[in-house]
Amino acid sequence: MLRTDHPRDLDVLIIYTDPQHVTDLYAAHLWEVSLPLLDFIAMTPDEEDDYRFIQVTNAALLHSQPSSPAQHPSSQNCKTS
């Protein structure tokens, strides 16, 4: 279940093109020491297009990188509740 009136964690979508960035993020164990608890969801731009995760969950933008022509339009860090 992605949506609830009483969330116990914060889902953070990471859209990536370099798998090493996701590996490094998980290696940092950030979700183990954060409050609220973080649940990282990593997708490639194509996966996000297929699942429409941002649209379906009504995700809120937390931070985005400066745009570049090669960057996917939804390459943003978003949260859902």
Side-chain angles (χ1 to χ4, degrees), residues 25-66:
L25 178 66
Y26 278 100
H29 300 284
L30 297 173
W31 63 90
E32 295 176 358
V33 295
S34 67
L35 288 176
L37 296 174
L38 298 178
D39 184 14
F40 290 106
I41 302 165
M43 294 183 177
T44 65
D46 288 340
E47 289 172 327
E48 200 291 319
D49 282 344
D50 289 343
Y51 291 109
R52 298 181 4 247
F53 184 89
I54 294 170
Q55 179 183 355
V56 169
T57 62
N58 197 27
L61 176 65
L62 294 177
H63 174 68
S64 67
Q65 299 296 325

